[in-house]
């Protein structure tokens, strides 16, 4: 995959991660008591999380075709780096105040990761199906243009 297409995929992943994090923060906020005073800078945290969680996606990038096993190993490393990144950011900003928050954040990261990968798969599958249809259409047009030659 060329780097330009990979960059588009990373931007798409960033936006999906952003949406997933915003949704996760909203759900976790409904389940836990709200803080007494919320810092306005907290509104920018989904962007910070999404940016730093997109960086481990560079592990999956490769100029050559990867085997399923190689891709699986890279995806596992990517997931672990994302979990570590989120835990570190959460620790630095003081979000890991109790065991419930730690568990909720770890589960939210796993859910967002799975959703982003599922959506990426569905988008890639849709693109592949569209390309296959175009190839079939081109082949059919070539058949129609080719004059009939008796054997």
């Amino acid at each position: 995959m060329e780097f330009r297409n990979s960059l588009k995929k990373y931007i798409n992943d960033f936006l999906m991660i952003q949406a997933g994090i915003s949704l996760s923060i909203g759900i976790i906020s409904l389940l836990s008591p709200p803080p007494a005073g919320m810092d306005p800078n907290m509104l920018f945290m989904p962007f910070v999380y999404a940016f730093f969680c997109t960086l481990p996606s560079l592990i999956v990038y490769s100029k050559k075709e990867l085997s399923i096993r190689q891709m699986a190993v890279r995806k596992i490393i990517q997931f672990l780096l994302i979990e570590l990144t989120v835990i570190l950011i959460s620790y630095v900003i003081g979000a890991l105040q109790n065991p419930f928050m730690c568990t909720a954040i770890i589960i939210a990261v796993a859910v967002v990761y799975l959703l982003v990968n599922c959506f990426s798969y569905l988008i890639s599958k849709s693109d592949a199906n569209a390309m296959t249809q175009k190839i079939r259409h081109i082949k059919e047009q070539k058949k129609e243009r080719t004059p009939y030659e008796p054997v």
Side-chain angles (χ1 to χ4, degrees):
M1 179 187 305
E2 75 179 58
F3 190 72
R4 185 175 179 178
N5 290 337
S6 293
L7 188 61
K8 287 180 186 177
K9 184 186 176 311
Y10 298 146
I11 291 170
N12 191 29
D13 286 351
F14 171 82
L15 295 172
M16 286 192 287
I17 291 168
Q18 167 71 34
I21 290 169
S22 297
L23 183 63
S24 297
I25 288 174
I27 291 171
I28 292 171
S29 296
L30 290 174
L31 299 175
S32 65
M38 189 174 122
D39 183 14
N41 292 331
M42 294 304 285
L43 297 174
F44 294 102
M45 288 315 297
F47 293 103
V48 172
Y49 279 113
F51 175 76
F52 285 108
C53 288
T54 303
L55 293 179
S57 297
L58 296 173
I59 288 173
V60 182
Y61 174 75
S62 176
K63 289 184 179 182
K64 62 178 185 160
E65 189 73 26
L66 298 175
S67 70
I68 294 174
R69 184 178 192 164
Q70 290 171 324
M71 184 57 82
V73 168
R74 288 184 182 205
K75 285 287 191 179
I76 290 169
I77 293 170
Q78 177 190 23
F79 174 71
L80 294 175
L81 286 173
I82 289 171
E83 283 281 4
L84 181 65
T85 300
V86 171
I87 294 297
L88 286 174
I89 292 171
S90 299
Y91 177 76
V92 168
I93 65 169
L96 300 177
Q97 298 170 354
N98 55 43
F100 170 77
M101 285 303 289
C102 293
T103 306
I105 289 172
I106 289 170
I107 291 171
V109 169
V111 169
V112 169
Y113 182 79
L114 287 173
L115 288 173
V116 167
N117 279 294
C118 286
F119 285 131
S120 291
Y121 170 77
L122 292 173
I123 290 168
S124 296
K125 184 177 177 183
S126 174
D127 290 346
N129 288 340
M131 282 190 262
T132 303
Q133 290 293 23
K134 284 181 183 179
I135 291 170
R136 284 184 186 149
H137 182 70
I138 291 170
K139 284 183 178 180
E140 287 173 7
Q141 284 181 341
K142 278 186 177 182
K143 278 184 180 179
E144 290 173 3
R145 282 190 230 159
T146 307
Y148 176 74
E149 296 179 23
V151 180

